[in-house]
Amino acid sequence: MAAVQDGQLNMEVEKDIKTEITNDGSGNINANSSSPGSTSSGGKSKSPAGSGEDQQTLLAVLQFLKRNKLTESVDILRREAGLSADADDSPVSDSAGAGSGGVPNVSADGGDANSLLSRVSIATPFAPPATAPPKVVAASGGEDQPDVNVVLSAYSQQGDPVLYPLYYNGLKKFIESVLDCHRAELSQVFYPLFVHMYLELVYNNHENEAKQFFEKFSGDQECYYEEDLRILSSMSKKEHMKGNETMLDFRTSKFVLRISRDSYQLLKRHLQERQNNQIWNIIQEHLYIDIFDGMPRSKSQIDAMSGSLAGEGKRDANKAKVFYGLLKEPEIEVPLDDEDEEAENEEGKPKKKKPKKDSMGSKSKKQDPNAPQQTRIPLPELKDSDKLDKIMNMKEATKKIRLGPDNLPSICFYSFLNAYQGLTAVDFTDDSSLIAGGFADSTVRVWSVTPKKLRRVKSAADLSNIDKESDDVLERIMDEKTASESKILYGHSGPVYGISFSPDRNYLLSSSEDGTVRLWSLQTFTCLVGYKGHNYPVWDTQFSPYGYYFISGGHDRVARLWATDHYQPLRMFAGHLADITCTLFHPNSNYVATGSADRTIRLWDVLTGNCVRILTGHKGPIHSLAFSPNGKFMASGATDGRVLLWDVGHGLMVGELKGHTDTIYALKFSRDGEILASGSMDNTVKLWDTLKAFDDVELDDFTAATGHIHLPENSQELLLGTYMTKSTPVIHLHFTRRNLLLAAGAYNP
Amino acid sequence: MAEERRPKQCTVVLPTESMKAMAESIGVGQLQEESCAALSEEVSYRIKEIAQDALKFMHHGKRRKLTTSDIDHALKLKNVEPLYGFQSQEFIPFRFASGGGRELHFYEEKEVDLSDIINTPLPRVPLDVSLKAHWLSIEGVQPAIPENPPPAPKEQQKAESTEPLKVVKPGQEEEGSIQKGQGAISAEAKGQELLMCLYAILKLMKPRSTHELSVEQQLYYKEITEACVGSCEAKRAEALQSIATDPGLYQMLPRFSTFISEGVRVNVVQNNLALLIYLMRMVKALMDNPTLYLEKYLHELIPAVVTCIVSKQLCLRPDVDNHWALRDFAARLMAQSCKTFSTTTNNIQSRITKTFTKSWLDEKTQWTTRYGCIAGLSELGPDVIKTLILPRLTVEGARIKAVSEGPVVSNIDKIGADHVQSLLLKHCASVIAKTRPLPDNMEQYRADYGYLGPTLCSHVVKARAQAALQAQQVNRTTLTITQPRPTLTVSQSGIGGSGGSRSPSIIKVPSSLTLMSTRPGTPTQPSPPATKYIVMATSAGASSTQQVITLSSSSGSSVTSTVASATSTLQPLVKLESRAASGLGGSRPLQKYIVVSLPTSASSSLESKSGMLPPSSSSTSPISLEAGMKMDRSDSPGASTQSPH
């Protein structure tokens, strides 16, 4: 078995290389078409690999639709597929091994195809997940099972239901009797085995046996699977399995286990000796055992990594190189020098110092081997106003307070009063001049926290009267009459769950339960675009640090990358097995991180659409993510109240911060990355010493290669401070450019 | 926990009767049992599914409560039409009805008259969302402002004082390691003398909360204490209000506690009734503050309160001043603290009861103390009155008779006897009225209760007559809340003439005293290592010795003279106590006094004034009477470390 899998792995690697080559090709095309306006052409690059698979998937969908008598959809799909299957191929679909699913195949990039997808997913609520994961299986396991029915009938072979508890018990006894060092590893098998045996029983209509089985053994499972067990327990009939998404996840994706070779041999020998085919079949069909050479892992090591819906990430899933370095600040030196000199001439200060420093800084950045190519993805050109802002930023940065364990930041808390439990999202602009709040009553409100009031641009008629040559034209176009401290933006038709300012403060994004993402202008305070694509609630959206691009993710389990001037997504990142709960851009804008209710974090390459990291370890849905300012580390917080720290380059967990007692909704690194602030539903803000946390981690070659990390048990030492609020859950945190910490939440009397 | 719940999860299914009822409500009769079972299973499963989806919306809405809109959104996910009309914010509008063996939940739709709605005035427009900023932390330190929660919530204070071992909450405090050390030490002590070492634990815990006070806090403390004992009644009311309601006083609690106990000690000696009353009102305010947990400071507060109940003399002219009101008030405070803080480990109530009874039983006790003991006991509730006071009525009646009908000894004794009599009548009558069966026979009463019998009988008759009113009165006497105001104003007018001119000068003494002590206290704080002895001894010793120094130096000759006078007035008290001790038999109690007073007495005087120790402690003696044994051991570390001073 192992050998076979290894062989497949090799094939996969080869495939990967191939697709990478093609991807690079498309990437270059992208890069060459540097003007942001033309990026859509990048998406249409053709690549032959994988189109065969696509067709199979399409056929499967068609078959499914036919069976459900959705003839209209079938017709449309066939029409569209006839065009798109030959002509288009989204680059996303090329990724063979990385778990990007079948959905993008259907959608491709052609405009109609996408709306088609939305129609399909409306018509068949569980079609996307059903078709997406099999691809994963197909890619990794080499078995192509696109047909929904095939997937569902995977359990049709059956043994005697009465024997199931015996089988399970036998294995349990065996695992309890093995040497300690193997026991922890082999215990991992219990949970997936339990789930699949239960499902088999249910599928084959042995309701009572299934219930007994569940009652007998559910108590043995690790406590962090409780949520899933609850879902399982509610399912006692074959009919229930059809519509249940969690179910489909279990059946269509393989549960990934990492087991050392020795332990695996033990298990295999035992099962073969006992002729225990039932269990052996399940292991072969539904489990993916990632075998490694070397010492078996300890219980704590396993516990740290497990807990996600589909087991751990495969080791090879995290092998791809991630360029986590920062981009060189593009073309900022020249204007900066000029502006700076001018400014300093005015102020009569010494000239030379700062520009020198800056140019030095940029030089060292150039040499960063971990940074992606400057033009790896096309970025918008800097406007004059952006340059001015950068200069402001740098000036502020010189006044920045250096934080550390002995020098904690001050925290300014913005309480939303009279919010009546309705505050759902908050964002600050980078310069901390504006606050936006999303509310359950579908409104978005923007406040100015500086004395400068919010003003609207004058109406077109008034604008025509303005002298366009005058120096203060920017000032003149504003309508003084509309000045106020806050503005309300109406447009959504459901609670607003995600909100994000553009870096240039001209735009605001909001995502809502109504399935749309809206772009608002902060000049006119009107809605500019409604991006439709998600058909289900959009839980989060986030602007790229360079603007122009943004990411959104929601209940449909697909994260979409958009450009503000396209009403269609540029990339679709499929692979998560449950809702995408939070999204975040890497500081260099080349990668996107998504946290999900399947308790994994995935890192996606914006250029290729590949999933480059799968990070497991959280025991609950992830609700907050943060990248360190140098792009090297990431922090994530979940409903389990723990913050996990990750090394992005190696794809490893490097720390665990325990202390919160409720969901962590906000995480932010200080501007220099020395301190991590976390805000939680438990009404506290906590500060953590990340410098120490990252220093403590010893990354030798072995751990880097195997990913078996010993977590230091010292999260209490890393805690620098806890600050209770007065029954105000903390839902957003932001460090100003001078390292003052701003926090926000709604007061719940 | 989870394992317990899981088996249930398996089986929770809607009852089939509900299915039937629902079917009937839409006109489907005669639903078969099997279809009902199938339906109910299916429906339960779907409901669970929807609930799970609704939870997602709750999480993303950043709420802890599931709302009806969450369910609506979850339904929308499933392409099901939401249930309109259930937008209620605070309750689920289902009504329950049962009858004929059926149980139903239904949605009650009332008929509403439109004109009613139109004619009712519009409700107030809800306030719009607004944004308010405050400092959660300034360079790592959380400022104590109303926007922030109190530094230590009451639960935590309670946990700290009652369960010192469990205090160490991970990440809650930065001084975790020090705390642990102290916890371990107190654990040791607990192992040795579980019951006895309450005081030791309290002492150990105490230095931990002697924080450095910020300048604002020092100012606040100064203002508050000055206002509390100052001459302006309006200011005092404001200050007391602040003590009773402000959430951020936790850190200043040790100062207030010391202020009160020191103040009582000084003013008992000086017989300054007004100040004693002010201090008791402070105690009351502290107890009223919902954010403070006083248990850690009871060792200072209880002696002070008990002093105000039973002290032989509380005012300069006992025949004129209404010190009885103070005793009543303090007795009520005592009863309240017994109610709040008495636990099986500290046994406050039983110890206090014993103390009162002992000195009451003593033949030689003066009428004033006797009055205090009875008041203290009777405030503890009708049960105490019934078991302890009623059986003694005959003896007490005889004593009263001896004073009132015998040869006139002194006016003071007579007044005392009168007050004791009326007190007994007041408290006993209500209890007897409740417990004793009718009829109220004068002679029977005389037989049962002796001299007081007849009067008591008439009181009981009166009490019975006003049964309704009486119930109220009982509440009043035990609840202590309603009465303090009137009594205090009375007593205040009483002292107005007596010590009015002198009070300002004395007022300054305690306030400046303790205010000074806060500052010297701070430098000692960082220096001590984690060992308990040093921390404790220095803080207690330093603050106290400092006090005496400032006493003598700052306020000059006038104050020292008051100290001198204190010694003189106190002398008889000592005699009294020693006599009492000998009367009770055994020299033990005498020893005990000294041990108890060690920490406090050391604080009140320098070595040169050690002659004053027993007198000053005499005021606290009642509590020590039966706590003495425990004191001996628990205080020994303190005593041993204080000797080097």
Side-chain angles (χ1 to χ4, degrees):
Chain A
M1 174 74 190
V4 176
Q5 276 185 348
D6 287 352
Q8 284 164 358
L9 286 187
N10 288 339
M11 282 169 61
E12 251 178 76
V13 171
E14 280 173 24
K15 224 195 256 174
D16 260 338
I17 293 167
K18 262 185 215 161
T19 52
E20 251 173 333
I21 292 165
T22 53
N23 284 339
D24 282 350
S26 66
N28 287 336
I29 296 168
N30 263 344
N32 293 340
S33 60
S34 57
S35 99
S38 64
T39 20
S40 63
S41 66
K44 291 203 175 178
S45 60
K46 290 166 200 168
S47 64
S51 65
E53 281 172 357
D54 294 345
Q55 236 149 9
Q56 267 180 321
T57 326
L58 271 176
L59 286 176
V61 173
L62 280 173
Q63 219 174 325
F64 179 84
L65 292 174
K66 250 185 239 167
R67 200 167 310 119
N68 286 291
K69 304 211 168 61
L70 300 161
T71 45
E72 218 177 301
S73 313
V74 172
D75 286 347
I76 297 167
L77 180 60
R78 197 171 277 155
R79 220 174 30 237
E80 300 296 340
L83 291 171
S84 59
D86 309 327
D88 292 331
D89 206 301
S90 105
V92 182
S93 66
D94 297 348
S95 57
S100 62
V103 181
N105 303 328
V106 192
S107 78
D109 264 356
D112 293 341
N114 192 50
S115 56
L116 162 76
L117 168 81
S118 54
R119 257 172 273 155
V120 169
S121 48
I122 286 176
T124 62
F126 54 94
T131 46
K135 275 274 293 178
V136 184
V137 178
S140 56
E143 320 150 16
D144 208 346
Q145 305 180 330
D147 192 337
V148 181
N149 200 39
V150 175
V151 175
L152 279 172
S153 63
Y155 288 134
S156 55
Q157 37 97 12
Q158 56 165 309
D160 187 351
V162 185
L163 291 178
Y164 274 54
L166 289 181
Y167 289 144
Y168 189 86
N169 239 343
L171 188 71
K172 198 171 144 189
K173 282 208 181 99
F174 161 71
I175 290 179
E176 273 163 8
S177 68
V178 297
L179 288 174
D180 279 353
C181 59
H182 299 300
R183 192 187 301 151
E185 283 208 316
L186 292 181
S187 302
Q188 298 176 85
V189 180
F190 281 136
Y191 174 68
L193 212 56
F194 169 80
V195 171
H196 285 291
M197 288 173 90
Y198 177 77
L199 291 179
E200 263 188 51
L201 287 172
V202 171
Y203 186 82
N204 295 315
N205 290 323
H206 303 298
E207 198 179 322
N208 289 329
E209 283 87 352
K211 265 187 190 164
Q212 278 165 14
F213 184 76
F214 189 90
E215 273 171 43
K216 197 164 178 191
F217 299 113
S218 66
D220 299 347
Q221 311 306 328
E222 301 280 359
C223 53
Y224 39 79
Y225 290 122
E226 201 196 322
E227 282 284 301
D228 291 341
L229 289 177
R230 196 177 299 153
I231 296 174
L232 269 187
S233 72
S234 66
M235 213 165 352
S236 54
K237 287 223 187 308
K238 189 177 173 181
E239 296 80 59
H240 295 163
M241 295 173 82
K242 266 194 184 148
N244 195 300
E245 288 153 357
T246 322
M247 253 354 3
L248 283 161
D249 293 336
F250 273 121
R251 313 168 123 251
T252 52
S253 58
K254 287 196 168 191
F255 197 94
V256 181
L257 300 171
R258 274 189 215 175
I259 291 185
S260 71
R261 190 172 295 282
D262 294 349
S263 307
Y264 179 70
Q265 295 294 350
L266 263 177
L267 178 71
K268 196 172 161 189
R269 210 177 304 136
H270 167 78
L271 291 176
Q272 280 171 350
E273 275 170 18
R274 292 290 203 80
Q275 301 271 305
N276 204 337
N277 283 329
Q278 204 67 37
I279 288 180
W280 186 239
N281 279 338
I282 291 179
I283 289 181
Q284 273 186 316
E285 261 179 50
H286 300 293
L287 268 55
Y288 178 94
I289 297 187
D290 194 354
I291 298 162
F292 62 86
D293 294 304
M295 285 279 289
R297 292 187 295 169
S298 70
K299 174 90 176 126
S300 62
Q301 279 176 320
I302 292 168
D303 277 347
M305 299 288 285
S306 57
S308 99
L309 196 62
E312 298 179 35
K314 290 174 203 160
R315 264 180 307 154
D316 49 297
N318 289 340
K319 282 284 177 280
K321 178 155 174 63
V322 171
F323 301 101
Y324 57 79
L326 298 184
L327 292 179
K328 178 170 67 85
E329 289 292 317
E331 298 156 28
I332 193 68
E333 290 101 77
V334 186
L336 173 78
D337 285 359
D338 294 347
E339 296 275 339
D340 231 34
E341 269 170 11
E342 276 170 33
E344 278 170 0
N345 280 339
E346 281 167 14
E347 289 161 26
K349 281 179 187 168
K351 273 187 189 178
K352 283 286 169 181
K353 266 188 182 173
K354 227 192 277 172
K356 239 185 199 171
K357 214 174 164 186
D358 285 327
S359 58
M360 287 291 285
S362 57
K363 252 177 205 167
S364 65
K365 270 176 201 160
K366 246 181 223 167
Q367 288 155 358
D368 187 350
N370 294 313
Q373 268 186 316
Q374 200 68 18
T375 52
R376 190 162 178 270
I377 60 165
L379 292 172
E381 274 179 43
L382 284 180
K383 289 177 291 193
D384 284 349
S385 59
D386 297 331
K387 287 173 187 165
L388 275 172
D389 197 53
K390 289 247 187 252
I391 293 159
M392 277 300 294
N393 191 353
M394 288 193 171
K395 278 186 187 163
E396 290 260 346
T398 56
K399 296 174 190 161
K400 187 165 54 187
I401 298 164
R402 276 205 85 79
L403 298 177
D406 305 320
N407 201 1
L408 294 175
S410 300
I411 307 172
C412 180
F413 200 100
Y414 286 94
S415 305
F416 287 78
L417 304 174
N418 311 319
Y420 308 106
Q421 304 244 323
L423 183 71
T424 43
V426 177
D427 196 28
F428 289 92
T429 52
D430 189 61
D431 69 348
S432 320
S433 63
L434 302 175
I435 298 183
F439 290 83
D441 62 2
S442 318
T443 58
V444 175
R445 288 160 196 257
V446 184
W447 279 268
S448 166
V449 289
T450 55
K452 200 179 157 193
K453 294 200 167 168
L454 300 174
R455 292 171 302 176
R456 231 171 267 227
V457 174
K458 284 178 184 166
S459 67
D462 292 339
L463 281 178
S464 58
N465 298 332
I466 291 173
D467 173 16
K468 289 168 195 71
E469 301 305 315
S470 71
D471 286 341
D472 58 345
V473 66
L474 286 177
E475 196 53 35
R476 287 190 184 198
I477 58 171
M478 306 311 281
D479 189 352
E480 276 306 323
K481 274 174 274 173
T482 60
S484 65
E485 270 179 17
S486 77
K487 292 257 186 266
I488 307 180
L489 308 172
Y490 298 102
H492 280 295
S493 60
V496 179
Y497 290 118
I499 206 162
S500 176
F501 278 107
S502 74
D504 60 5
R505 296 189 300 286
N506 282 327
Y507 304 103
L508 176 69
L509 275 175
S510 62
S511 71
S512 159
E513 186 268 344
D514 62 14
T516 62
V517 178
R518 282 180 184 271
L519 182 75
W520 308 85
S521 163
L522 297 181
Q523 300 291 335
T524 60
F525 291 97
T526 51
C527 183
L528 300 177
V529 197
Y531 299 96
K532 292 172 186 171
H534 295 276
N535 282 300
Y536 292 105
V538 188
W539 296 132
D540 200 9
T541 186
Q542 179 91 30
F543 250 114
S544 151
Y546 292 86
Y548 185 60
Y549 298 108
F550 66 92
I551 177 93
S552 67
H555 180 70
D556 62 4
R557 307 164 178 208
V558 181
R560 288 165 162 80
L561 179 85
W562 311 74
T564 46
D565 55 359
H566 288 61
Y567 66 95
Q568 296 287 331
L570 302 182
R571 297 282 184 278
M572 299 178 68
F573 305 112
H576 275 298
L577 298 174
D579 301 31
I580 289 173
T581 48
C582 52
T583 56
L584 186 68
F585 261 96
H586 189 274
N588 68 19
S589 198
N590 277 263
Y591 296 91
V592 160
T594 55
S596 164
D598 67 9
R599 307 188 284 272
T600 62
I601 300 157
R602 283 171 186 250
L603 194 68
W604 310 86
D605 190 335
V606 166
L607 179 68
T608 62
N610 287 340
C611 175
V612 288
R613 292 284 178 272
I614 301 176
L615 307 172
T616 60
H618 272 298
K619 321 287 189 236
I622 290 143
H623 275 277
S624 53
L625 293 169
F627 276 105
S628 68
N630 62 9
K632 204 168 173 229
F633 298 103
M634 185 165 72
S636 59
T639 53
D640 57 8
R642 300 178 317 145
V643 176
L644 297 183
L645 303 172
W646 308 90
D647 182 325
V648 174
H650 296 97
L652 290 177
M653 188 194 300
V654 291
E656 180 186 17
L657 308 175
K658 287 187 223 169
H660 283 294
T661 56
D662 210 331
T663 311
I664 294 160
Y665 281 118
L667 281 173
K668 200 68 133 201
F669 281 94
S670 68
R671 293 274 167 166
D672 294 322
E674 301 104 333
I675 281 184
L676 175 69
S678 61
S680 157
M681 198 69 189
D682 63 11
N683 303 343
T684 55
V685 175
K686 286 182 193 282
L687 302 177
W688 309 87
D689 187 348
T690 45
L691 221 51
K692 193 171 168 208
F694 296 136
D695 277 352
D696 286 353
V697 177
E698 313 142 25
L699 268 189
D700 50 50
D701 289 343
F702 176 74
T703 49
T706 56
H708 306 156
I709 190 94
H710 287 277
L711 285 182
E713 278 289 328
N714 59 351
S715 63
Q716 285 324 305
E717 292 169 29
L718 301 175
L719 181 64
L720 297 176
T722 299
Y723 305 98
M724 282 282 283
T725 66
K726 213 169 177 180
S727 63
T728 310
V730 185
I731 64 172
H732 194 74
L733 291 167
H734 175 77
F735 274 98
T736 68
R737 288 168 178 172
R738 298 188 190 185
N739 263 338
L740 172 74
L741 180 57
L742 306 180
Y747 176 61
N748 288 334
Chain B
M1 188 180 82
E3 273 127 56
E4 286 164 22
R5 229 188 292 145
R6 263 180 221 152
K8 270 189 212 157
Q9 283 165 10
C10 272
T11 53
V12 171
V13 185
L14 288 175
T16 50
E17 288 84 47
S18 308
M19 294 302 120
K20 266 188 188 155
M22 284 179 210
E24 278 171 25
S25 73
I26 55 163
V28 181
Q30 303 296 318
L31 205 60
Q32 280 181 352
E33 195 62 35
E34 281 168 36
S35 15
C36 276
L39 259 180
S40 74
E41 247 179 76
E42 180 67 17
V43 169
S44 331
Y45 171 70
R46 296 298 164 197
I47 288 179
K48 281 178 194 169
E49 230 181 14
I50 287 165
Q52 266 154 9
D53 278 341
L55 270 182
K56 275 183 195 170
F57 285 93
M58 183 194 76
H59 275 300
H60 284 280
K62 277 111 180 164
R63 275 175 281 115
R64 281 200 195 83
K65 266 188 204 155
L66 195 71
T67 63
T68 48
S69 62
D70 290 334
I71 309 251
D72 285 348
H73 291 140
L75 285 171
K76 211 173 143 194
L77 274 192
K78 304 248 171 244
N79 265 334
V80 181
E81 189 85 346
L83 299 167
Y84 296 107
F86 289 88
Q87 308 297 354
S88 160
Q89 287 287 320
E90 57 301 312
F91 71 108
I92 302 168
F94 284 114
R95 294 286 304 277
F96 175 75
S98 64
R102 286 269 190 99
E103 291 181 340
L104 266 182
H105 292 270
F106 63 96
Y107 180 50
E108 192 179 41
E109 286 175 297
K110 284 185 194 148
E111 280 186 16
V112 184
D113 193 354
L114 258 186
S115 61
D116 280 357
I117 296 181
I118 294 167
N119 290 331
T120 46
L122 286 173
R124 264 177 53 201
V125 179
L127 294 167
D128 198 15
V129 183
S130 63
L131 202 59
K132 186 171 187 287
H134 74 266
W135 290 108
L136 184 66
S137 147
I138 297 170
E139 286 170 6
V141 181
Q142 187 161 29
I145 48 174
E147 285 88 351
N148 287 330
K154 200 172 178 187
E155 294 74 36
Q156 192 191 327
Q157 294 176 38
K158 180 172 181 177
E160 276 175 12
S161 47
T162 50
E163 295 169 275
L165 296 182
K166 289 184 188 168
V167 175
V168 193
K169 270 190 201 163
Q172 200 65 303
E173 268 148 51
E174 284 165 69
E175 74 234 34
S177 55
I178 306 166
Q179 246 175 322
K180 258 181 221 163
Q182 288 180 345
I185 291 162
S186 63
E188 235 170 67
K190 219 173 185 177
Q192 289 168 2
E193 297 277 343
L194 196 69
L195 276 175
M196 313 265 161
C197 67
L198 171 76
Y199 275 62
I201 291 172
L202 291 178
K203 287 258 158 59
L204 281 179
M205 305 299 289
K206 199 181 144 198
R208 248 187 41 218
S209 47
T210 38
H211 298 287
E212 192 169 331
L213 293 186
S214 65
V215 180
E216 295 84 2
Q217 281 175 318
Q218 290 182 26
L219 273 176
Y220 173 84
Y221 176 83
K222 183 166 173 270
E223 285 294 321
I224 287 285
T225 47
E226 276 176 5
C228 275
V229 295
S231 53
C232 174
E233 181 61 26
K235 253 190 169 181
R236 174 166 29 256
E238 226 170 277
L240 290 174
Q241 171 76 11
S242 168
I243 295 180
T245 53
D246 260 341
L249 299 182
Y250 173 53
Q251 285 182 314
M252 275 174 279
L253 200 48
R255 320 284 181 196
F256 280 127
S257 163
T258 317
F259 177 80
I260 290 166
S261 75
E262 291 295 313
V264 167
R265 193 178 13 252
V266 171
N267 288 298
V268 154
V269 167
Q270 308 207 349
N271 292 323
N272 191 332
L273 183 63
L275 277 181
L276 289 175
I277 290 171
Y278 299 154
L279 291 168
M280 285 304 106
R281 283 174 73 181
M282 273 183 84
V283 175
K284 169 109 177 89
L286 283 174
M287 284 173 105
D288 286 346
N289 191 323
T291 63
L292 295 178
Y293 194 76
L294 295 179
E295 174 143 23
K296 271 197 252 177
Y297 308 97
L298 289 182
H299 67 290
E300 284 187 328
L301 294 178
I302 286 187
V305 174
V306 171
T307 304
C308 288
I309 302 175
V310 299
S311 177
K312 197 191 79 171
Q313 196 179 359
L314 288 171
C315 50
L316 284 178
R317 295 174 298 170
D319 47 340
V320 183
D321 293 338
N322 187 1
H323 58 96
W324 313 105
L326 173 62
R327 292 179 201 272
D328 285 338
F329 181 66
R332 254 173 255 128
L333 278 181
M334 193 63 237
Q336 192 186 344
S337 55
C338 279
K339 216 181 260 170
T340 327
F341 302 110
S342 191
T343 62
T344 45
T345 27
N346 62 19
N347 265 330
I348 293 178
Q349 171 142 6
S350 70
R351 284 159 62 183
I352 291 291
T353 318
K354 265 189 217 162
T355 312
F356 285 144
T357 341
K358 248 184 205 168
S359 45
W360 183 27
L361 292 184
D362 185 8
E363 284 295 316
K364 309 249 165 45
T365 313
Q366 299 229 345
W367 281 108
T368 45
T369 310
R370 198 172 288 278
Y371 178 92
C373 292
I374 298 170
L377 282 176
S378 41
E379 290 296 345
L380 290 174
D383 285 340
V384 179
I385 296 177
K386 201 174 140 193
T387 49
L388 291 175
I389 300 183
L390 291 189
R392 290 272 305 165
L393 272 181
T394 329
V395 186
E396 206 57 36
R399 193 175 286 135
I400 293 169
K401 189 181 175 187
V403 174
S404 54
E405 292 179 4
V408 177
V409 190
S410 77
N411 194 26
I412 292 174
D413 273 358
K414 192 157 166 28
I415 295 173
D418 281 351
H419 271 98
V420 168
Q421 181 178 349
S422 56
L423 180 74
L424 283 172
L425 289 175
K426 183 175 109 192
H427 286 296
C428 294
S430 58
V431 175
I432 292 173
K434 272 194 185 152
T435 53
R436 193 182 162 96
L438 287 164
D440 297 319
N441 187 341
M442 202 70 98
E443 288 312 307
Q444 192 60 42
Y445 268 80
R446 188 187 294 280
D448 286 352
Y449 303 117
Y451 170 71
L452 289 176
T455 15
L456 196 57
C457 181
S458 62
H459 269 85
V460 170
V461 171
K462 231 184 268 172
R464 284 197 214 268
Q466 306 171 325
L469 277 175
Q470 187 188 41
Q472 271 185 349
Q473 218 162 12
V474 170
N475 271 340
R476 273 194 183 177
T477 46
T478 47
L479 279 179
T480 76
I481 303 158
T482 49
Q483 285 195 346
R485 288 284 152 81
T487 56
L488 283 171
T489 44
V490 168
S491 53
Q492 207 195 334
S493 62
I495 53 103
S498 66
S501 62
R502 229 184 53 177
S503 51
S505 69
I506 291 161
I507 285 158
K508 271 184 191 163
V509 178
S511 63
S512 62
L513 271 182
T514 18
L515 185 64
M516 297 304 281
S517 76
T518 60
R519 272 174 231 156
T522 46
T524 60
Q525 200 48 32
S527 60
T531 50
K532 52 171 179 177
Y533 301 114
I534 296 170
V535 174
M536 185 193 76
T538 46
S539 69
S543 63
S544 50
T545 45
Q546 207 63 43
Q547 272 173 5
V548 175
I549 287 165
T550 47
L551 174 87
S552 49
S553 62
S554 66
S555 41
S557 60
S558 66
V559 181
T560 42
S561 71
T562 61
V563 170
S565 71
T567 47
S568 64
T569 49
L570 271 171
Q571 234 38 329
L573 260 182
V574 178
K575 274 179 203 159
L576 168 90
E577 293 299 336
S578 58
R579 258 186 285 144
S582 59
L584 282 170
S587 56
R588 250 201 202 157
L590 242 182
Q591 281 180 328
K592 287 170 199 164
Y593 298 156
I594 296 160
V595 178
V596 174
S597 58
L598 241 175
T600 43
S601 63
S603 63
S604 73
S605 65
L606 291 168
E607 288 87 334
S608 60
K609 286 173 189 160
S610 58
M612 268 175 60
L613 289 185
S616 68
S617 72
S618 66
S619 59
T620 65
S621 60
I623 181 82
S624 70
L625 272 172
E626 48 87 43
M629 282 288 285
K630 303 149 198 181
M631 301 300 109
D632 283 344
R633 263 161 263 182
S634 58
D635 274 348
S636 54
S640 64
T641 45
Q642 275 185 350
S643 54
H645 271 277

